[in-house]
Amino acid sequence: METIRRTKIVDLLKCRDFGTMVNVKGWVRTRRGSKQVNFIALNDGSTINNVQVVVDLANFDEELLKQITTGACISVNGELVESVGSGQAAEIQAREIEVLGTCDNTYPLQKKGHSMEFLREIAHLRPRTNTFGAVFRIRHNMAIAIHKFFHERGFFYFHTPLITASDCEGAGQMFQVTTMNLYDLKKDENGSIIYDNDFFGKQASLTVSGQLEGELAATALGAIYTFGPTFRAENSNTPRHLAEFWMIEPEVAFNDINDNMDLAEEFIKYCVQWALDNCYDDVKFLNDMFDKGLIERLQGVLKEEFVRLPYTEGVKILEDAVAKGHKFEFPVYWGVDLASEHERYLVEEHFKRPVILTDYPKEIKAFYMKQNEDGKTVRAMDVLFPKIGEIIGGSEREADYDKLLTRIQELNIPMKDMWWYLDTRKYGSCPHSGFGLGFERLLLFVTGMANIRDVIPFPRTPRNAEF
């Protein structure tokens, strides 16, 4: 085959240099045709759109053509011509074809619809489908948007440790990291494991959040964000939970709860706008195939100002709904940690736009949140979205040493792990705020996918760590 420089299909489809010779490489999606001419739909992952390769059968060897099946990888030299059919502006009249990799008939992605459950079983091949190609291109774009957003506003990207000896949320649902022989653990007289010979000389875990270290960084660099994997060992087999997921956590010195809400709203709108501006073909495909209201919902979030609602008022709205006959699966009362059905009622039925819920009861929130004057509530904020429920959780942090210490003691959090965190309240404490956004929750919203396992390449969930 003559060597011509490869053109990516995403660029080729914009090309209008008809009559020139081009080279494309990619995977065959379909091949159809008559006795004289075949049409190959070729995709190389650079775009949701295929390029059509027109093959005049008289010019090609029959044995070669037999190898061009769905899933095969080919290189094509041909003439770029204006497309006769509708759908695309340009197509390729094949002059030379080389088969780079054959694909036999056991290939599971034949031309028919596949269920999401089936595709999870072949997660190593699902990126080749239109759906997952779109999802993973959007995933990349959202990561770029996040870095751009913070960089443009003078934030510094700060890397917090993945292996840690502190439990940020006090949740206790952490994966342990060890080099010890689990079949032969040394224990003391009380039956507690002795970690002296372990790699770190003490119990270590995978992080559930980079927030505490992020707060340290904010008191030095002013405004930082973390963006990395976090791990939760909770046995939640739901469409919204993963054991390994990615988190974005900005932390900003001198921001109060209102600044925090402004930042969260601006941030999430920026990301949604980026998806519409930079991934429109992929978003439109997902809109047309999966979720007919997706684009409308994305545009809706950009148009509206988010509602800012104290928890106490939110509970009252929900109680009124119950009084009027609305049925919730879980009970509603002041002090309850709202379930996602309650969050979605406020967003989808009552206000019909995103809601930022504030001033939660301190009992249901983490130890580091700033307490309000009423002694009952804290300056927490949860951003609630249609179809998802909570997408962001954050707060103004408690900057007062004594109040923070009291709260840590009330909750029996082991002080040996927290001395360094308390130091920030001892040495030049300042008001500061931050929040955490689960990256996959953002992706659920932007792609319209129904299950969080379908927005990460290789999901890690209870009893599942394949590939």
Side-chain angles (χ1 to χ4, degrees), residues 3 97 105 112 148 165 187 191 201 220 237 255 301 367 401 406 438 457:
T3 338
I97 300 177
N105 61 8
K112 63 175 168 61
K148 264 184 81 69
K187 297 185 178 174
N237 242 325
N255 266 14
V301 160
F367 72 91
Y401 181 88
T406 307

Side-chain angles (χ1 to χ4, degrees), residues 8 21 36 71 84 143 192 198 261-262 275 318 320 388 399 410 428:
K8 283 188 178 177
M21 288 296 285
Q36 284 82 39
V84 193
S192 300
D198 204 356
M261 291 192 272
D262 292 343
L318 293 166
D320 289 348
I388 314 272
E410 281 171 10

Side-chain angles (χ1 to χ4, degrees), residues 42 94 110 113 149 152 158 168 176 212 229 243 319-320 387 419:
L42 198 65
Q110 298 301 330
F149 175 85
E152 284 166 6
F158 190 75
C168 162
Q176 282 205 41
L212 301 187
E319 287 175 338
D320 289 348
K387 280 204 131 179
W419 62 272

Side-chain angles (χ1 to χ4, degrees), residues 52-72:
Q52 178 162 285
V53 179
V54 183
V55 183
D56 188 339
L57 298 189
N59 302 337
F60 289 92
D61 175 51
E62 205 174 316
E63 285 310 303
L64 173 81
L65 293 170
K66 271 188 195 152
Q67 298 181 344
I68 303 175
T69 57
T70 294

Side-chain angles (χ1 to χ4, degrees), residues 120 123 458-460 463-467:
R120 275 173 225 140
F458 301 104
R460 298 291 178 247
R463 312 202 91 48
N464 175 49
E466 302 306 313
F467 309 103

Side-chain angles (χ1 to χ4, degrees), residues 240-309:
R240 295 159 22 110
H241 287 88
L242 290 165
E244 174 187 294
F245 57 99
W246 288 62
M247 277 258 275
I248 299 97
E249 297 179 297
E251 201 68 42
V252 194
F254 318 117
N255 266 14
D256 67 12
I257 186 71
N258 292 312
D259 303 319
N260 206 27
M261 291 192 272
D262 292 343
L263 181 68
E265 180 166 345
E266 190 191 357
F267 169 54
I268 212 151
K269 284 180 169 173
Y270 182 97
C271 291
V272 169
Q273 187 68 60
W274 183 272
L276 288 170
D277 290 346
N278 295 278
C279 318
Y280 192 77
D281 285 355
D282 287 323
V283 170
K284 178 140 177 41
F285 172 82
L286 295 168
N287 180 89
D288 296 349
M289 297 300 287
F290 285 97
D291 181 349
K292 299 283 187 272
L294 176 61
I295 290 175
E296 200 182 331
R297 219 167 32 252
L298 294 176
Q299 288 167 339
V301 160
L302 296 174
K303 283 204 300 276
E304 304 278 15
E305 291 220 340
F306 296 2
V307 175
R308 300 188 179 189
L309 181 76

Side-chain angles (χ1 to χ4, degrees), residues 333-347:
Y333 53 89
W334 198 94
V336 74
D337 201 358
L338 297 181
S340 115
E341 56 168 350
H342 303 139
E343 297 170 337
R344 288 183 59 179
Y345 177 85
L346 291 170
V347 171

